[in-house]
Amino acid sequence: MSTKRFRLTKTAKIMIFVLIIALLGGGVFAGIKTGLIKIKDKTNKEVVTTDNKNDIEFDNGTTNNDLSATSNTDVLDDTINISLDEWIGWKSIIDANGGLTTQPDSIYGKLGIDVNINIINDATQSSNALIKGDLNAAGYTINRTAFLSSKFANANKEVIMPYITNYSNGGDGIIAKSNITTVKDLVGAKIGVPEFSEAQTLVVWFVNNSDLTQSEKEEIINNLILFATPDDAAKAFFAGQIEVAATWEPYLTQAQNMTDAHVLFSTTSSTNLVMDGILFDKNFADVHSDTVEKFIQGSLEANKLYDTEFNAIREVMPMFNTASDEDIIANCASAKLTTWKDNKDLLNGTAKTIYTDMCGVWTSIGEEVNISLLDTLFDDSYIQNISNNFSSTEVSNTETVRVTEDNKQTIVETEALLGGSASVTFVKNTAKFDDSASVLT
């Protein structure tokens, strides 16, 4: 990062000294927040990557805790500072932006907004920054939002999720040794989960919605072996240290290709269980509603680039730096992007159901949640305000899949995992299929 240097008179120096005293703690942060001062990593890319750190470290040696937060209303009307983790489902935002910062010829550039993307893999880190005001928005699953809800409430930070970007389509799941084939086989098994993760909620939801007895459910949940990350859980599984692991791709595929392991359950069978959305500081969104609407519009328009444009995501996300086009396309299959119509429906229905379900999951393992956030969290006014840009006959990507001869066996097997009966035990609106009991023969 280079700065211009000037030769100053004695009077000018005195004036600047006074200004520095008056603005101490605020001026530096304002530059970072508005994008005038760029955050860079060791490769000189304008990105913040954090993993198991307490603070965001800037290239001048300071941390976000050293900087004084300013009001979100101080941000330029057309600028959004956002954090995303390394998940393929955020690709439409990255494509709309043309990289970490908005490119003039990008979709966002043509819409007249600026988006500064920071890659932050630690949800504690990004939520701290959102609460403090360093960020205006952050990408989270609804599962994670439920977990963070009490944290936001305790900090008096109002948040909304006006946009669901994607849902996991087989990207998350539970792998197991080949002898574990039903939920009953989980009783007494060594089960590893990444703590406070979407994968942990997947296991707890799976167990809670089975026909196990309450004591069996509690035995499984209370004896889960906790790991730091989905990667750690998968590695312990393949090393023979545990019999079951909640994890994500590419470990699901790896287990599927082994003779002594398989995928016990994945989001292919219940796609809405893990949905991603953009959480905005409500005050920022209220003041800059036009910018938020253009942000959503641009991301939806960029859906067409999902499996054709790969340069931007390689620049933004380290995990894709050296990935081939084919590898990125394969990753795209594990997350399915939502449409405008999906958002119109999800924000008024399934998203609320999932939030309620996940609050129940976290509560069942002793975590505090703010269930009342449900009343204000999913705001569809921004989607409604851009309706003229999208067709009312647009096809939904999240429509319920009916039972057919082709998928009947998969549904039967999934039901068998949860119990021994032919009745569907998925919570309403959370499963990929519905009313299958009346169709199965």
Side-chain angles (χ1 to χ4, degrees), residues 231-243:
D231 293 359
D232 293 336
K235 290 173 183 176
F237 173 81
F238 293 121
Q241 299 169 0
I242 55 178
E243 300 164 274

Side-chain angles (χ1 to χ4, degrees), residues 102-231:
T102 306
Q103 301 305 303
D105 60 347
S106 68
I107 294 174
Y108 283 152
K110 293 175 181 177
L111 287 173
I113 66 172
D114 287 313
V115 179
N116 298 321
I117 297 175
N118 303 291
I119 301 303
I120 304 179
N121 287 319
D122 186 337
T124 298
Q125 186 81 14
S126 60
S127 57
N128 286 344
L130 185 60
I131 289 171
K132 192 175 180 182
D134 295 3
L135 295 172
N136 314 121
Y140 296 118
T141 61
I142 295 177
N143 316 51
R144 183 64 60 122
T145 301
F147 176 74
L148 294 170
S149 61
S150 63
K151 179 178 181 177
F152 292 129
N154 293 336
N156 295 316
K157 174 64 69 175
E158 293 184 282
V159 293
I160 60 169
M161 185 174 282
Y163 176 38
I164 307 296
T165 59
N166 69 93
Y167 60 92
S168 177
N169 185 39
D172 301 270
I174 304 169
I175 57 179
K177 295 300 182 183
S178 56
N179 62 315
I180 296 177
T181 59
T182 72
V183 70
K184 293 186 182 296
D185 296 329
L186 297 179
V187 180
K190 293 180 180 179
I191 306 170
V193 300
E195 189 175 17
F196 305 138
S197 69
E198 290 73 18
Q200 183 177 8
T201 65
L202 201 62
V203 172
V204 176
W205 182 91
F206 181 74
V207 171
N208 281 341
N209 284 279
S210 71
D211 65 355
L212 292 174
T213 66
Q214 188 59 34
S215 62
E216 288 174 326
K217 293 177 183 179
E218 292 175 358
E219 179 183 346
I220 293 173
I221 293 172
N222 293 336
N223 288 287
L224 293 175
I225 301 169
L226 304 178
F227 291 87
T229 69
D231 293 359

Side-chain angles (χ1 to χ4, degrees), residues 52-63:
N52 298 323
K53 293 183 180 179
N54 293 323
D55 304 303
I56 302 176
E57 186 172 326
F58 298 89
D59 63 353
N60 61 2
T62 62
T63 68

Side-chain angles (χ1 to χ4, degrees), residues 279-352:
L279 197 70
F280 277 90
D281 180 311
K282 185 178 184 301
N283 180 54
F284 174 87
D286 287 344
V287 175
H288 310 296
S289 58
D290 184 61
T291 300
V292 173
E293 288 166 11
K294 289 179 179 178
F295 172 86
I296 298 171
Q297 177 183 334
S299 178
L300 290 171
E301 289 180 1
N303 282 5
K304 60 189 176 185
L305 304 176
Y306 193 46
D307 56 4
T308 59
E309 167 55 43
F310 311 112
N311 291 331
I313 197 167
R314 286 195 184 99
E315 174 200 344
V316 171
M317 295 188 175
M319 69 179 291
F320 292 113
N321 282 167
T322 59
S324 66
D325 291 356
E326 292 73 21
D327 287 339
I328 296 175
I329 291 173
N331 269 273
C332 288
S334 63
K336 199 163 187 180
L337 301 183
T338 59
T339 64
W340 177 86
K341 184 178 186 302
D342 288 330
N343 273 271
K344 179 175 177 293
D345 297 337
L346 291 171
L347 293 171
N348 290 294
T350 304
K352 294 181 177 181

Side-chain angles (χ1 to χ4, degrees), residues 204 208 221-222 359-367:
V204 176
N208 281 341
I221 293 172
N222 293 336
C359 281
V361 165
W362 291 120
T363 301
S364 72
I365 59 176
E367 296 299 321

Side-chain angles (χ1 to χ4, degrees), residues 30-104:
I32 292 172
K33 194 174 181 187
T34 58
L36 297 177
I37 299 175
K38 301 300 183 181
I39 302 169
K40 300 186 180 182
D41 67 2
K42 62 184 179 181
T43 62
N44 207 38
K45 292 181 179 180
E46 293 168 353
V47 56
V48 178
T49 56
T50 62
D51 191 8
N52 298 323
K53 293 183 180 179
N54 293 323
D55 304 303
I56 302 176
E57 186 172 326
F58 298 89
D59 63 353
N60 61 2
T62 62
T63 68
N64 60 329
N65 280 341
D66 298 324
L67 303 174
S68 298
T70 59
S71 168
N72 278 319
T73 58
D74 293 334
V75 178
L76 298 176
D77 285 352
D78 59 356
T79 300
I80 297 175
N81 291 309
I82 186 172
S83 73
L84 303 172
D85 57 9
E86 291 186 83
W87 168 239
I88 192 70
W90 307 125
K91 187 174 181 294
S92 61
I93 296 172
I94 295 166
D95 289 337
N97 208 39
L100 288 166
T101 56
T102 306
Q103 301 305 303

Side-chain angles (χ1 to χ4, degrees), residues 380-416:
D380 72 339
S381 63
Y382 300 85
I383 282 289
Q384 296 291 1
N385 288 341
I386 61 173
S387 61
N388 291 339
N389 299 296
F390 301 93
S391 171
S392 59
T393 59
E394 184 181 46
V395 176
S396 170
N397 278 344
T398 60
E399 290 183 2
T400 299
V401 177
R402 306 299 299 180
V403 179
T404 66
E405 287 301 319
D406 292 334
N407 67 15
K408 184 194 300 186
Q409 188 57 40
T410 299
I411 293 174
V412 170
E413 290 171 355
T414 302
E415 290 174 354

